[in-house]
């Protein structure tokens, strides 16, 4: 559970022209007045649209005209015109909307929509149109790296000194076992800061790493073409894996080598002040081992082990080490099947110091058992693991979250379905049916949604981290597409990409540094304390959350508009590694699939 973050945005303008479209990236450009104004009433995907994909904009009613027209940027000639749809009342706010459908505007270029006297932000139509957000969302993890200096040639204006070296982390009394007595030290450097705070959590790393590794497993060829300008970019390893490895190596330090159990987190006793990490001097601790953390760890290590087999030359022995770590973790949970990390109970036992940072406590472990067993089964082929899969494979399928990783197991078994066809065909068919049933329910909700997105099908979509709900809905829909290649599932997933990038009730693009009106003031210490006006780029803000748990002041309180782009709003404007992960998957998946989906025509090869 992301607990603290501040998210400021830097403006990146992307104009495309491949053939007719060129890609320009202006990193760190000064924020325009437009980005500070009220949201534009014409809500669009502020990056743009694939040439042959669905294209819609939402116009907030009332409007002065029943029609709209589109012009190329800075040119008066109309290139497309159409009628607005009938007015629709949103079920999630008092807003009324009308739809401008311009799916049949096919030519690449940069455009604006006109409705009466209103003019939209500029947007592009072109191939690779989501590539900037795909790259930025991966590089967002580089900016979250702990224990290392970020150099200007990679980090630009967000360069910073190394902080939180974590080479002498104390063992908390709750974590003491064997020779690792309370107050003894271990080395646990590296990894990613979890959210806006400077702590590192195994449970949240679990779903984050699982999602990123799944993105690579699903689209390995595409990720080999992506360069993110990180220190490792010139090696032969895809940058998404280079970034994952930085956190993977930290995770390995969190396993007790004497018994296989895994500590819940590496943390300060309480959240630090708003300062850069090299200015924070709090002593750091590893705290209690738990069943959830150890199973999440086992799943990640098993998944990583099979991917890293292809990189034995670059990382000798690492694949084997990961699989051994996964098996040792599995052995620990056999002996400790229900150890809850309950921070309140731990503090009530007067263990010193009291720990008050994010708990990531979980009382139900069925999903973690299932996911870990799935990853170990696929990586080893050992049918003993399938016995654990069988126990819960027919459980209800829901979107994944840090405390419910059941769906990650489904995705892995589906991805490696050929291994199940001979001996577990009935289970495979049932999983496919359940994924399609949930995906079909999403599709049915789109037409009744005033913003024509899957996101917002119910008020319950708008929770803490609601933008991750949107992204994870998209990931599930793309998994549905993988079952039968029916493009309707991809189109629905693309509607949520549009939502994240600006076609929503708030009018914000929720990714820092992307679009004309991006999130500018996230709750994110690295952005709040660095004296740079623009926030760290490539990070997904939490999104509308009527819970308002931060007690911050919100201009709007309705479910889909309850978002405040202010740094006190950690309930709606935090960033977190587990929220960025499905954004990485979704944005890069569309770039990888654009030709297969028929969203774009491949460039002709020169003769």
């Amino acid at each position: 559970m992301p607990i603290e973050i501040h998210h400021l945005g830097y403006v990146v303008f992307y104009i495309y022209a491949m053939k007719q479209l060129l890609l320009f990236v202006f990193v760190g450009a000064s924020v325009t007045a437009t980005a500070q104004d009220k949201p534009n009433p014409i809500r669009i995907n502020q990056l743009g649209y694939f040439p042959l994909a669905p294209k819609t904009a939402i116009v907030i009613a009332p409007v002065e005209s029943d029609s709209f027209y589109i012009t190329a940027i800075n040119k008066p000639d109309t290139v497309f015109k159409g009628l607005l749809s009938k007015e629709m009342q949103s079920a999630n706010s008092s807003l009324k909307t009308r739809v401008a459908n311009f799916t049949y505007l096919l030519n690449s270029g940069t455009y604006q929509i006109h409705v009466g006297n209103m003019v939209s932000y500029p947007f592009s139509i072109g191939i690779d149109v989501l590539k900037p957000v795909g790259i930025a969302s991966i590089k967002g993890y580089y900016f979250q790296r702990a224990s290392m200096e970020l150099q200007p040639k990679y980090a630009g204006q967000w360069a910073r000194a190394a902080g939180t070296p974590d080479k002498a982390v104390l063992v908390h009394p709750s974590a003491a076992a064997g020779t690792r007595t309370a107050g003894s030290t271990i080395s646990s450097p590296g990894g990613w800061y979890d959210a806006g705070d400077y702590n590192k959590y195994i449970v949240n790393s679990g779903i984050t790493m699982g999602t990123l590794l799944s993105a690579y497993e699903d689209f390995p060829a595409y990720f080999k073409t992506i360069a993110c300008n990180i220190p490792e970019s010139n090696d032969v390893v895809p940058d998404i894996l280079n970034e994952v490895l930085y956190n993977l190596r930290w995770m390995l330090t969190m396993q007790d080598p004497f018994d296989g159990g895994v500590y819940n987190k590496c943390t300060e006793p309480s959240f630090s002040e708003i300062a850069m990490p090299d200015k924070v001097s709090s002593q750091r601790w590893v705290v209690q081992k738990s069943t959830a953390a150890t199973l999440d760890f086992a799943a990640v290590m098993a998944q990583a082990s099979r991917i890293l087999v292809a990189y034995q030359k670059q990382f000798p022995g690492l694949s084997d080490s990961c699989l051994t770590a996964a098996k040792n973790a599995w052995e620990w949970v056999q002996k400790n099947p229900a150890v809850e990390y309950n921070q309140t109970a731990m503090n009530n036992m007067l263990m010193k110091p009291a720990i008050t940072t994010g708990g990531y406590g979980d009382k139900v472990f069925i999903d973690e058992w299932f996911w870990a067993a799935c990853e170990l089964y696929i990586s080893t082929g050992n049918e003993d693991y399938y016995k654990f899969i069988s126990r819960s494979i027919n459980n209800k399928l829901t979107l994944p979250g840090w405390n419910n990783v059941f769906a990650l197991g489904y995705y892995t078994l589906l991805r490696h379905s050929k291994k199940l066809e001979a001996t577990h065909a009935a289970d495979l068919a049932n999983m496919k049916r359940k994924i399609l049933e949930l995906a079909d329910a999403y599709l049915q909700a789109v037409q009744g949604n005033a913003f024509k997105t899957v996101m917002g099908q119910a008020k319950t979509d708008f929770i803490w981290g609601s933008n991750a709900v949107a992204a994870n809905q998209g990931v599930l829909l793309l998994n549905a597409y993988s079952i039968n290649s029916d493009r309707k599932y991809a189109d629905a997933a693309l509607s949520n990409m549009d939502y994240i990038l600006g076609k929503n009730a708030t009018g914000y693009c929720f990714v820092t540094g992307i679009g004309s009106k991006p999130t500018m003031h996230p709750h994110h210490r690295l952005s709040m304390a660095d004296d740079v006006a623009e926030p760290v780029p490539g990070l997904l803000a939490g999104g509308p959350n009527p819970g308002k748990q931060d007690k911050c002041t919100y201009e709007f309180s309705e479910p889909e508009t309850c978002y405040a782009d202010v740094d006190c709003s950690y309930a709606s404007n935090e960033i977190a590694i587990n929220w960025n992960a499905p954004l990485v998957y979704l944005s890069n998946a569309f770039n990888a699939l654009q030709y297969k989906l028929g969203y774009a025509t491949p460039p002709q090869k020169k003769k």
Side-chain angles (χ1 to χ4, degrees):
M1 70 204 282
I3 298 295
E4 287 226 53
I5 294 189
H6 161 109
H7 185 173
L8 301 171
Y10 81 120
V11 173
V12 182
F13 294 99
Y14 294 101
I15 301 177
Y16 298 89
M18 274 185 185
K19 292 188 138 185
Q20 297 134 346
L21 214 61
L22 294 171
L23 171 65
F24 296 93
V25 182
F26 298 91
V27 179
S30 59
V31 180
T32 65
T34 301
Q36 299 301 315
D37 294 339
K38 290 287 185 180
N40 192 303
I42 304 174
R43 308 294 164 80
I44 58 170
N45 178 327
Q46 294 174 25
L47 262 186
Y49 305 82
F50 292 105
L52 304 178
K55 308 177 195 72
T56 59
I58 299 298
V59 184
I60 304 300
V63 295
E64 298 175 354
S65 176
D66 292 326
S67 62
F68 70 95
Y69 65 96
I70 298 176
T71 60
I73 194 73
N74 296 326
K75 294 181 180 179
D77 294 341
T78 297
V79 298
F80 188 91
K81 59 184 177 180
L83 294 176
L84 298 176
S85 71
K86 293 181 179 179
E87 189 175 283
M88 176 177 285
Q89 172 65 59
S90 177
N92 299 309
S93 73
S94 55
L95 295 177
K96 296 180 180 180
T97 68
R98 301 181 72 174
V99 180
N101 189 325
F102 54 102
T103 296
Y104 295 107
L105 176 57
L106 308 178
N107 292 334
S108 296
T110 306
Y111 302 98
Q112 288 181 298
I113 300 172
H114 303 255
V115 181
N117 293 324
M118 301 184 302
V119 183
S120 74
Y121 299 131
F123 63 90
S124 293
I125 294 176
I127 62 174
D128 292 337
V129 71
L130 296 181
K131 195 169 186 177
V133 69
I135 292 174
S137 59
I138 296 171
K139 189 166 181 176
Y141 289 96
Y142 168 73
F143 290 108
Q144 290 294 105
R145 289 190 188 185
S147 312
M148 75 173 293
E149 175 189 5
L150 302 193
Q151 299 177 7
K153 62 181 176 179
Y154 306 116
Q157 62 184 327
W158 299 279
R160 57 176 169 84
T164 58
D166 289 340
K167 292 182 179 179
V169 177
L170 295 179
V171 176
H172 191 262
S174 64
T179 58
R180 290 190 165 186
T181 57
S184 61
T185 62
I186 69 167
S187 180
S188 189
W192 301 315
Y193 297 131
D194 179 71
D197 55 292
Y198 294 142
N199 304 304
K200 302 180 291 189
Y201 305 82
I202 286 292
V203 169
N204 211 36
S205 278
I207 185 171
T208 303
M209 296 281 280
T211 304
L212 294 175
L213 289 167
S214 292
Y216 177 76
E217 280 199 283
D218 284 341
F219 309 106
Y222 175 76
F223 281 110
K224 290 174 183 177
T225 70
I226 295 299
C228 301
N229 188 32
I230 59 176
E232 302 84 2
S233 287
N234 291 325
D235 65 16
V236 299
V237 181
D239 276 359
I240 189 173
L241 292 186
N242 279 321
E243 201 53 66
V244 161
L245 282 164
Y246 193 79
N247 200 61
L248 184 81
R249 291 191 173 100
W250 164 71
M251 291 181 73
L252 286 167
T253 71
M254 293 289 284
Q255 183 176 45
D256 186 337
F258 300 105
D259 64 14
V262 179
Y263 305 114
N264 184 274
K265 57 182 172 178
C266 176
T267 184
E268 309 152 318
S270 58
F271 291 117
S272 67
E273 69 276 16
I274 305 300
M276 295 302 286
D278 61 305
K279 305 300 182 184
V280 174
S281 58
S282 299
Q283 178 62 56
R284 315 262 288 177
W285 302 78
V286 290
V287 297
Q288 182 197 324
K289 301 164 191 170
S290 72
T291 298
T294 305
L295 284 168
D296 285 335
F297 175 95
V300 169
M301 293 300 157
Q303 189 177 14
S305 70
R306 64 176 177 262
I307 293 172
L308 292 172
V309 165
Y311 296 96
Q312 294 277 27
K313 182 178 179 180
Q314 290 75 26
F315 311 112
L318 183 56
S319 173
D320 292 339
S321 295
C322 287
L323 189 57
T324 297
K327 291 177 178 178
N328 290 342
W330 184 260
E331 289 182 13
W332 186 88
V333 294
Q334 304 304 309
K335 302 171 186 175
N336 302 274
V339 179
E340 177 190 353
Y341 181 75
N342 186 325
Q343 194 159 275
T344 300
M346 183 180 77
N347 289 335
N348 287 342
M349 294 173 65
L350 302 180
M351 293 184 178
K352 300 296 183 181
I355 305 295
T356 58
T357 52
Y360 289 104
D362 194 356
K363 299 177 183 292
V364 179
F365 310 121
I366 296 172
D367 54 302
E368 286 90 359
W369 279 103
F370 179 75
W371 180 35
C374 289
E375 300 298 350
L376 280 159
Y377 173 71
I378 295 300
S379 290
T380 66
N382 187 336
E383 288 292 326
D384 287 342
Y385 295 116
Y386 206 88
K387 297 174 184 176
F388 290 87
I389 294 173
S390 297
R391 293 177 184 178
S392 52
I393 196 169
N394 292 317
N395 284 11
K396 183 179 179 180
L397 176 65
T398 61
L399 279 185
W402 65 262
N403 58 349
N404 189 341
V405 291
F406 183 76
L408 300 190
Y410 261 45
Y411 296 162
T412 285
L413 295 179
L414 179 63
R415 182 178 303 119
H416 298 277
S417 58
K418 289 185 179 180
K419 293 189 177 183
L420 277 69
E421 288 172 349
T423 53
H424 303 290
D427 283 343
L428 179 61
N430 190 43
M431 284 189 294
K432 289 181 178 180
R433 177 185 59 80
K434 289 171 70 174
I435 288 175
L436 291 175
E437 284 179 351
L438 185 52
D440 287 339
Y442 288 161
L443 263 62
Q444 291 172 10
V446 173
Q447 288 309 309
N449 186 328
F451 286 84
K452 302 306 176 191
T453 59
V454 171
M455 179 60 182
Q457 61 181 305
K459 289 182 172 64
T460 51
D461 279 357
F462 300 101
I463 59 173
W464 197 325
S466 63
N467 285 334
V469 172
N472 274 310
Q473 288 172 340
V475 172
L476 184 137
L477 285 159
L478 288 180
N479 273 271
Y481 167 78
S482 73
I483 293 172
N484 61 13
S485 298
D486 192 329
R487 202 183 98 163
K488 67 182 181 181
Y489 297 115
D491 289 351
L494 188 61
S495 79
N496 275 15
M497 196 74 247
D498 292 344
Y499 172 92
I500 289 168
L501 296 179
K503 200 183 80 172
N504 58 64
T506 72
Y508 280 89
C509 173
F510 290 118
V511 184
T512 53
I514 296 292
S516 297
K517 189 174 178 62
T519 292
M520 289 295 297
H521 305 285
H523 185 74
H524 180 226
R525 278 172 174 74
L526 290 170
S527 296
M528 296 167 76
D530 64 1
D531 295 325
V532 178
E534 297 82 9
V536 170
L539 302 176
L540 180 65
N545 173 19
K548 296 188 282 190
Q549 294 88 342
D550 46 43
K551 310 302 180 186
C552 196
T553 299
Y554 288 72
E555 183 178 0
F556 304 104
S557 296
E558 295 174 322
E560 67 183 357
T561 57
C562 194
Y563 170 74
D565 185 19
V566 291
D567 55 34
C568 74
S569 180
Y570 56 80
S572 80
N573 210 32
E574 184 174 16
I575 65 94
I577 58 173
N578 62 313
W579 301 343
N580 246 61
L583 175 64
V584 169
Y585 187 108
L586 194 61
S587 56
N588 286 288
F590 282 120
N591 289 312
L593 292 170
Q594 59 183 320
Y595 303 127
K596 182 178 180 181
L597 288 168
Y599 286 169
T601 302
Q604 293 182 351
K605 294 182 179 180
K606 294 182 179 181
K607 295 182 180 180

